[in-house]
Amino acid sequence: MQNVKTYILLFMFIAIGNWAHSQSHPKLILTQKGVKEIRAQIDQLPLMQSSLDKARAFVDQEMAKGIDVPVPKDMAGGYTHNRHKKNYMLMQKAGVLFQITQEEKYALFVRDMLLEYAKMYPTLDVHPVKRSYAPGKIFWQNLNDANWLVYTSQAYDCVYDFLSAKERKTLEKDLFRPFADHLSVDSPQFYNRVHNHSTWGNAAVGMIGFVMNDQELIDRAFYGLKSDNIKEDQKDNDGGLIKMQGDGKAGFFAQLDHLFSPDGYYTEGPYYQRYAMYPFVMFAEAIENCRPDVKIFEYRDSLLVKAVQTLLNLTDVNGLFFPINDAQKGMSYLSRELVSSVNIVYHFGGEDPGLLSVAEKQGEVMLDDTGLSVAKAIKEGKQRAYQKKSANYGDGASGEEGALGILRAGKADAELCLVMKNSSQGMGHGHFDKLSFSLYDNKGEVLQDYGAARFVNIEQKFGGGYLKENKSWAKQTVAHNTLVVDRISHFKGSTDTGNKYHSEPYLFDAGNEQIQIVSAKERNAYPGTEMHRTLALISDDKFEKPLVLDVFKVKSDEEKQLELPYHFFGQIISTNCEYQVAEPLTKMGDAYGYQHLRLEAEGLTDEGSAKLSWFVNDRFYSITSAVNSEDKLLLVRSGAEDPNFNLRRDPAFIVQKNQQKEAVFVTLIESHGKYDRVTEFADNAFSSISQVELLLNSDDYTAVSFEDKKNNKWMLILANRDAGKKSKHQLRINKTDYEWTGAYHYVPAQ
Amino acid sequence: MQNVKTYILLFMFIAIGNWAHSQSHPKLILTQKGVKEIRAQIDQLPLMQSSLDKARAFVDQEMAKGIDVPVPKDMAGGYTHNRHKKNYMLMQKAGVLFQITQEEKYALFVRDMLLEYAKMYPTLDVHPVKRSYAPGKIFWQNLNDANWLVYTSQAYDCVYDFLSAKERKTLEKDLFRPFADHLSVDSPQFYNRVHNHSTWGNAAVGMIGFVMNDQELIDRAFYGLKSDNIKEDQKDNDGGLIKMQGDGKAGFFAQLDHLFSPDGYYTEGPYYQRYAMYPFVMFAEAIENCRPDVKIFEYRDSLLVKAVQTLLNLTDVNGLFFPINDAQKGMSYLSRELVSSVNIVYHFGGEDPGLLSVAEKQGEVMLDDTGLSVAKAIKEGKQRAYQKKSANYGDGASGEEGALGILRAGKADAELCLVMKNSSQGMGHGHFDKLSFSLYDNKGEVLQDYGAARFVNIEQKFGGGYLKENKSWAKQTVAHNTLVVDRISHFKGSTDTGNKYHSEPYLFDAGNEQIQIVSAKERNAYPGTEMHRTLALISDDKFEKPLVLDVFKVKSDEEKQLELPYHFFGQIISTNCEYQVAEPLTKMGDAYGYQHLRLEAEGLTDEGSAKLSWFVNDRFYSITSAVNSEDKLLLVRSGAEDPNFNLRRDPAFIVQKNQQKEAVFVTLIESHGKYDRVTEFADNAFSSISQVELLLNSDDYTAVSFEDKKNNKWMLILANRDAGKKSKHQLRINKTDYEWTGAYHYVPAQ
Ligand SMILES: [Ca+2]
Ligand SMILES: [Ca+2]
Ligand SMILES: [Ca+2]
Ligand SMILES: [Mg+2]
Ligand SMILES: [Mg+2]
Ligand SMILES: [Mg+2]
Ligand SMILES: [Mg+2]
């Protein structure tokens, strides 16, 4: 079916391949109509005017310093790398400034710099730093060269009509055509795969193809190379297989078909999705402008629109991306890539007024037709609050390789959001975090995913690259809020094995205001062990904020040690456990992340429920977990075996059950109260929960309850093997019969 | 001289003692004139209107629940404690609401609650919790009873004319008079001393005295009890001697004469000064209203005005008080006490427009004549930015018991502020932190004082009281940025010894924009060891922000181990030391705070300067310290021997010099650069300093230099024994002769 669609498209392009020939420039991102409108309206549009002023300030300052096109030499972070990066940003902005201000100096600057590149490029071999699976010529890796061309093709488009035919000929012959060839035919391992790197390559080749009106390049961008010689086991620098996805397809349509799930979820997670979005939305805008007949924004059921909306929903209250997989914390929808994405999807994707409030927070618009739409709509007051929602995003090209579940409840101060990773591994940047979750409130992180161990672009820290501890700690299972069996990570820490499997979503129901629920199973992370976790976000007037109920069921072939960590922040306020503090502190293990943990205290309780309360950001939080008197409670902290002080010293609370073939962890998490450091008044500083209990556990059913200090009692029964909405169940628990329809039965307190 | 003044005042009061008799109420804090003006203008004054609305919302909500005057039973944090505290707040506000809104319901509420108290009070013995050196009847300590009366006398004043003569008689006979007597004649150990507790007592007795027009109580408030039987060695709950200050004087004027230095500095430090200010400014307002002839705001060279201005200058960029001595971090000029102080000092103390911008940040005004002035002035746009400044505040009643030095330089992003404690111990809440400093930038703390180990009013943490670790860690020398000799705290950790001495300020010069300097000596903290520290804040265009140069000279009778800690935050980025990480982690000692520290790494360097760079709040900081190849560099962290997890896990960098009779620590501190997590761009992430050197050290002179990576060199020469501004010096260093006038000679790079 996909093939048929592709051939139809191919036919259409051949048929109409030349109609753009007579068009004038700019036509790629800026259009002639757009330039005219922007010029007429910009002084009435503060957001666009300030974006222009910012671009002008940057370009003017740099133009004053003169042009520098150094011979490529340095690795990322070094001078020539940074200079060439700045050059393409400058050229792109200068091109736009030329069109909008019509000041010739900007066109001259672009022209002169391009001619410098055209002079140098034919003299270049591949980059002298030989560390990439696909080296560039300007940069150490082709990925950066592709970045260069994506930006520079926009600059070329803006000055195209300004240049003489002779200048254009020089540039195309000596620079752009060989540049595009190096990215593609000369680097099939980079270009001819389904991967975000290749997307940059496809977009670069396609965008310059449009500007040059070179149909061969456009076809190459859309459908890839006709042949390559990539070996089956060839890998990239992240250890990812080159030939993995796409059934041998390549090119931009293959990326659209395979890199996103039907829900617009990108398997590497939001941090990388953010990075990947830019070539997608920019090339799509170029296609829409140059080939509107393709209807690219409608392609695959409006995939690109969905991808941006999904990405915006993958953020916490501050717009920070959920840091699953390799992700540096702090990256947010304020990033450059998201400015483009939001503008383009607003303009071409149905003008959702919620996007305008995100654009307002971004405080910047693109200097093109899409930014104009956004600036005008905001000026007209069309913006509405962006509504984030509960959602279950299918993973994988088919949407059937697991899912990422998000539950949201509560308003304002009471806002709570839970993210559960029931998806596939996430490729080379994936973490061993099956069924893990993280928790956010209206200030930000409460129970964290550590994120990546990396200081991006901070040279002192391994040149800004991934630190050794990223693999030895951040990726490991114990660095996540999920079960560790026998102190070994999921898939024994093998990415190749992890890439073969995905968790199985069992249940997702966000339709009930009282209880929203997400549930999934995992059978492959530990062969012989089945894990089934259910997380519920419960809203009840008897509590200040929603509660999280966590039911983690495990069944194994043999007796195992089971450890379930909760990674919190801040200071411990109280616990009901009797514990011994460790002295001295030693590392807890030698592998799978335990070498980076120190045990600070170990305790037991015979109260049936272990409770830990802590204090951070002037708020209180409590975890109450059903335990028996043999279960151990561990207080641990990261930072062992960390000679370069690369890791944060963050605490975690681990519930440990020993020698179990079958066990259920039942845990309730409260966010409660607050402290005012000025009035020194503590409000609701105590947990409201007196008891959490496992009532029943069988292969078919698991029933749990919790009780508050006023003896109100809540119960949840889960059907473990039949999530059918219409399935009827009945069960006797403590001499009471329960009957219900559907996968779960929730009995709130009266 | 003080005595003469006191007698003159006393005579004046006797002479005119009765003139207020015919005045109507309110007259204490609110005045009849004030009420009239507030009623006429409040709807034009947003800040006053919102303050009224807030008070009304609070009182209405609580009035709806009815009156509860429980029999006293609980300790701080318990129900009866909190209820009685809420009651006095409610009565005070209800009284004000009655006056401003003239709604009778508020007067009735105050009347009915007061009559409940009048019914109960005669039946009460002292409070059943016998833990205070001076128990109250309503609360466990008289301090809280005094709080009650300070607030309630305002309420009584507001409803005085509303009540029948019979009601007034009942209240005065059964409640107010015996209440005032219990605070004073029945509790001389509480009332008749120079202390913030007694100030509350004096104010309480004086304020109810004014309302009741009871001259005996007014005299008792002004001058204390004529006789007491306090023993010389009697102590309060904080271990403070009852008879310590004031030469046997007591009463409000004795507090004014002895609790503050002439600069308005309060020896316990700003956290306690904030708490102490309320009875001072409120009683002063009452005195000004009822006895304007006293000219209380002019008393002692306008001491109260100075005290408030000094307190406001003892804050960081966020208005947070410098947490020297026992102080919970987070307390700021937004506190209730500072709202009163700022309003009262604005109105009665010269209408400084800078105070208005503080009032705006507070977002609230007093509902009285002073709040009216502030709200009107803000409405008229008179507010100016509050100008914080460099200052050297003398400590002690005479201003000659050491000083607290503050240096400020840089604007906006480049703002830097340094606080050096060269004062006296600070009484029972004092820390062993002679010559310690802390550093702040435009975001807040950079090099911290730990503050107190306490969670005020968080019941789970030892009832909200001072934790054991406050004494064993927070007070100890090693918890501060100052020198520890032989791992023993100053004065061997004895508060009584510490109270006998103060450091000797040597030099303070904030008059030079290029270099501001504070210098002090300490000879008593370690008998036989002289310490002389000089801190300079250097502004130079060659650096992004001001630099801190720290020259710490030590001379001892015998060889000592010298350790100088710098308590930073965040993650280590790099160091030039060759270090071994410790494994396992053990506590560093058994006493003086070292039992709470773990050594994480220990290193050496033969580069002449040891450097540590770290990263916090997305900024970079570096310390460079002149060392020889035997000096050790320690990376440590707090948290050992902390079974209740009462301490934060904060890091410190310690420069250790061993077996030294004489040594100089020369250290340069840079705040540089920033990191943007959205663009992932690191700016100025590297220290600019290549070398820090000790050029010369003798009893008379110390000369140091530092150099940047471009080989620019700066030099500072200090005359160690003659700080005379006009003294002439000459010195040969490395074959160059230097001549200068004054205590120091600064030679910046060309
Ligand atoms: Ca019960
Ligand atoms: Ca010794
Ligand atoms: Ca040099
Ligand atoms: Mg990658
Ligand atoms: Mg992770
Ligand atoms: Mg005290
Ligand atoms: Mg301290």
Side-chain angles (χ1 to χ4, degrees), chain A residues 116-185:
Chain A
E116 291 277 321
Y117 273 103
K119 212 184 299 168
M120 179 176 74
Y121 197 80
T123 71
L124 298 177
D125 201 345
V126 291
H127 194 277
V129 172
K130 312 274 188 243
R131 279 174 54 179
S132 172
Y133 77 103
K137 288 188 157 190
I138 304 291
F139 299 94
W140 74 283
Q141 56 175 352
N142 249 343
L143 174 61
N144 298 112
D145 281 52
N147 296 163
W148 188 96
L149 191 54
V150 163
Y151 282 83
T152 305
S153 59
Q154 298 174 53
Y156 183 45
D157 179 48
C158 283
V159 301
Y160 191 93
D161 288 346
F162 176 86
L163 299 176
S164 69
K166 185 163 167 259
E167 286 163 342
R168 287 199 293 262
K169 198 176 161 200
T170 303
L171 290 176
E172 297 188 6
K173 189 170 93 8
D174 292 347
L175 181 60
F176 293 128
R177 181 71 202 217
F179 203 115
D181 286 343
H182 179 70
L183 290 178
S184 51
V185 288

Side-chain angles (χ1 to χ4, degrees), chain B residues 313-607:
Chain B
N313 199 36
L314 294 173
T315 63
D316 75 3
V317 67
N318 301 308
L320 301 176
F321 296 119
F322 300 135
I324 54 171
N325 297 332
D326 285 343
Q328 179 167 281
K329 288 182 180 178
M331 182 56 75
S332 80
Y333 64 38
L334 302 181
S335 70
R336 194 163 40 88
E337 296 89 347
L338 270 283
V339 173
S340 305
S341 299
V342 164
N343 287 196
I344 290 169
V345 162
Y346 178 78
H347 182 76
F348 292 116
E351 301 192 341
D352 169 6
L355 294 174
L356 299 174
S357 68
V358 177
E360 272 189 309
K361 284 189 184 132
Q362 291 171 337
E364 196 178 347
V365 290
M366 295 243 286
L367 293 167
D368 73 350
D369 307 35
T370 70
L372 178 68
S373 288
V374 169
K376 274 167 72 174
I378 288 173
K379 171 78 179 179
E380 290 160 12
K382 291 183 177 162
Q383 59 275 34
R384 296 290 170 269
Y386 191 77
Q387 295 299 335
K388 293 184 192 172
K389 55 184 187 182
S390 297
N392 201 34
Y393 294 122
D395 191 9
S398 65
E400 288 166 0
E401 297 170 28
L404 189 82
I406 300 170
L407 299 181
R408 298 179 190 272
K411 294 218 185 307
D413 255 18
E415 188 175 332
L416 220 58
C417 167
L418 169 167
V419 184
M420 185 178 180
K421 194 183 173 207
N422 307 321
S423 59
S424 58
Q425 178 73 12
M427 308 209 285
H429 292 295
H431 288 193
F432 302 102
D433 58 356
K434 300 280 128 187
L435 311 187
S436 179
F437 82 113
S438 46
L439 186 67
Y440 302 82
D441 68 9
N442 76 319
K443 294 228 178 177
E445 288 182 299
V446 175
L447 296 175
Q448 71 162 331
D449 184 312
Y450 188 91
R454 182 181 184 185
F455 295 77
V456 180
N457 289 329
I458 296 183
E459 210 180 317
Q460 298 97 314
K461 287 292 191 188
F462 194 60
Y466 285 103
L467 299 165
K468 198 163 58 64
E469 292 78 11
N470 191 57
K471 189 171 177 198
S472 62
W473 166 252
K475 287 191 179 211
Q476 299 302 319
T477 304
V478 72
H480 297 86
N481 301 308
T482 190
L483 192 75
V484 189
V485 176
D486 284 342
R487 299 204 167 173
I488 294 168
S489 284
H490 299 164
F491 309 111
K492 293 189 177 157
S494 159
T495 299
D496 287 350
T497 311
N499 278 334
K500 291 182 190 154
Y501 304 105
H502 59 81
S503 300
E504 298 152 46
Y506 176 70
L507 169 66
F508 183 88
D509 183 359
N512 183 342
E513 274 191 27
Q514 285 193 298
I515 182 165
Q516 298 184 59
I517 197 160
V518 55
S519 180
K521 299 181 183 185
E522 171 60 47
R523 300 172 210 263
N524 300 298
Y526 296 112
T529 298
E530 284 189 30
M531 305 190 283
H532 179 188
R533 186 180 219 173
T534 303
L535 289 162
L537 203 49
I538 291 171
S539 296
D540 193 306
D541 289 345
K542 293 195 171 62
F543 299 97
E544 192 187 348
K545 300 179 188 179
L547 304 172
V548 178
L549 178 59
D550 178 9
V551 183
F552 203 129
K553 178 179 165 73
V554 201
K555 189 174 181 182
S556 190
D557 291 347
E558 43 185 284
E559 288 189 346
K560 299 286 186 188
Q561 186 194 62
L562 308 174
E563 294 188 315
L564 183 57
Y566 294 92
H567 294 267
F568 65 100
F569 295 104
Q571 272 188 278
I572 292 168
I573 285 290
S574 65
T575 165
N576 68 347
C577 307
E578 293 187 17
Y579 60 84
Q580 261 75 50
V581 290
E583 187 65 47
L585 300 190
T586 53
K587 59 179 185 168
M588 290 178 74
D590 292 309
Y592 297 115
Y594 282 85
Q595 71 274 34
H596 295 296
L597 283 177
R598 294 191 181 97
L599 180 69
E600 293 194 335
E602 184 176 301
L604 300 163
T605 181
D606 54 11
E607 293 187 22

Side-chain angles (χ1 to χ4, degrees), chain A residues 3 35 38 210 283 318 333 460 522 691:
Chain A
N3 283 355
V35 168
I38 292 171
F210 279 135
F283 191 31
N318 301 307
Y333 64 39
Q460 299 97 315
E522 171 59 47
Q691 198 75 352

